Amino acid sequence: MKLSFKHVYKIFLDVIFPSRCIICRSFFNGDRFPDLFRIEKTDLTKISFHEVMGRFLCPDCLHNFSKVESPKCTVCGFMFKSRQGEDHVCGKCIKNPLKYRKARAYGLYDRALRTSIHRLKYHQKTYLAEPLGLLLFSTFINNWKPEDIHVIIPTPLHNGRLKKRGFNQTFQLIKNWPEWLKESGLDSFHVMIDQDILFRKRKTKAQVGMGQKERIANIKGVFEVRNRAKIASKNILLIDDVLTTGATANECAKTLLKNGAGNIDVLTLAHTERHII
Ligand SMILES: [Zn+2]
Ligand SMILES: [Zn+2]
């Protein structure tokens, strides 16, 4: 067998510095070469969790991931309990119409994706923003047409939280998108990412453990629009890392619509495991 320099170098690195799984901390031999991120050579519509996260997660932890699949609700994007049939509007969305047109997520907020998001958000592992952003990007190009979106807005953090964390994880996920669109020949998406439109007026309590009613009350009236002219009749894509009950996304959408936006859609990396009927 003929070994290239790259192979020999990889074997050398695997022996000296094996990769360490970001979830279970075990050592494993992962793919440490960044060829993956040569966007122009990758079919981004088909990119898999294994391909993107295989450098950071051991093979065992990689299996604890589930992609959002059809049949799902055409509005809220949650999966139906029954795994047969076509996508359609769920009973909940018919009964309580949402302020946004549709929400889509890449995967379920289970062990692998949830811990990866936590490592980025709470443990300053900012190197995860690029691979996770790529998964989010693939969900974007699989679910939206170029003419459908005019402005992309990351869900804002309160200034105090932003200062403490040092970065807005949602913006980190999308900051490379203009470059990736160009590299993948999708320039027809004239996407503008704008962080100067939507703001949080006050700090809210952490929503972990709250039910839907509490979340709605906690988030009510929290957001404000400061540049109304930028959103007049525009279709806006709101980005967040996780969609739980949808209370935050719905309040953002309500605020944007009240200030003259055209339509609001929502894209998140994960949503909680909530099967609908
Ligand atoms: Zn692991
Ligand atoms: Zn629904």
Side-chain angles (χ1 to χ4, degrees):
M1 185 173 71
K2 216 176 144 194
L3 287 175
S4 67
F5 170 73
K6 194 169 144 180
H7 282 112
V8 175
Y9 185 57
K10 181 180 183 312
I11 291 165
F12 168 75
L13 285 177
D14 284 344
V15 172
I16 308 293
F17 309 109
S19 304
R20 198 158 192 195
C21 175
I22 59 163
I23 295 183
C24 68
R25 312 295 298 147
S26 67
F27 291 103
F28 70 102
N29 292 334
D31 180 10
R32 60 178 77 245
F33 291 103
D35 291 5
L36 175 67
F37 298 114
R38 296 194 54 189
I39 306 287
E40 72 279 14
K41 291 201 170 164
T42 313
D43 182 355
L44 293 170
T45 59
K46 294 198 179 80
I47 204 157
S48 73
F49 187 76
H50 284 56
E51 275 176 275
V52 177
M53 297 306 286
R55 291 193 296 151
F56 311 103
L57 270 64
C58 74
D60 283 347
C61 289
L62 270 179
H63 285 295
N64 288 314
F65 165 75
S66 319
K67 206 172 171 198
V68 173
E69 281 168 341
S70 290
K72 58 183 181 299
C73 171
T74 46
V75 181
C76 67
F78 281 91
M79 281 154 70
F80 286 100
K81 210 166 192 171
S82 156
R83 302 309 311 130
Q84 277 167 4
E86 305 263 294
D87 291 356
H88 58 279
V89 186
C90 76
K92 206 175 167 202
C93 289
I94 293 172
K95 207 172 152 206
N96 299 307
L98 292 161
K99 296 288 179 190
Y100 43 87
R101 283 192 304 191
K102 67 172 180 183
R104 293 292 178 268
Y106 176 71
L108 295 189
Y109 196 47
D110 56 12
R111 194 167 170 242
L113 194 51
R114 185 180 60 221
T115 313
S116 303
I117 293 171
H118 282 195
R119 294 283 184 266
L120 165 67
K121 233 167 134 174
Y122 307 119
H123 301 263
Q124 312 289 321
K125 306 275 188 236
T126 43
Y127 59 82
L128 291 172
E130 192 175 346
L132 292 174
L134 197 59
L135 298 175
L136 192 67
F137 183 76
S138 74
T139 318
F140 173 54
I141 57 176
N142 276 326
N143 286 283
W144 278 272
K145 288 194 193 96
E147 61 275 17
D148 259 8
I149 298 298
H150 306 121
V151 186
I152 296 185
I153 299 182
T155 302
L157 293 178
H158 184 263
N159 251 343
R161 193 160 284 166
L162 185 64
K163 273 190 192 137
K164 208 170 152 201
R165 191 175 294 166
F167 61 93
N168 177 342
Q169 74 281 356
T170 308
F171 175 68
Q172 294 297 316
L173 293 172
I174 57 175
K175 66 173 188 191
N176 293 319
W177 287 20
E179 194 188 311
W180 291 349
L181 285 167
K182 212 182 281 168
E183 284 173 15
S184 50
L186 293 164
D187 307 56
S188 48
F189 272 105
H190 293 292
V191 164
M192 258 186 33
I193 297 172
D194 206 316
Q195 292 196 91
D196 293 320
I197 292 173
L198 194 63
F199 292 87
R200 267 183 203 249
K201 284 193 277 190
R202 58 181 163 84
K203 220 169 167 179
T204 45
K205 284 186 225 150
Q207 303 201 97
V208 182
M210 284 187 193
Q212 187 163 16
K213 275 190 183 154
E214 283 172 286
R215 280 173 189 248
I216 292 171
N218 185 42
I219 206 83
K220 199 167 190 262
V222 162
F223 299 101
E224 66 174 341
V225 168
R226 291 199 193 145
N227 278 302
R228 292 185 69 168
K230 282 187 176 177
I231 59 165
S233 305
K234 294 277 198 299
N235 290 348
I236 292 167
L237 182 67
L238 190 69
I239 311 273
D240 211 344
D241 49 356
V242 185
L243 189 84
T244 307
T245 61
T248 303
N250 209 47
E251 185 64 25
C252 285
K254 201 164 102 186
T255 311
L256 290 162
L257 290 171
K258 220 163 57 186
N259 283 277
N263 296 289
I264 317 296
D265 292 336
V266 178
L267 171 62
T268 61
L269 198 48
H271 70 209
T272 44
E273 200 165 354
R274 169 157 64 87
H275 288 291
I276 49 176
I277 42 170

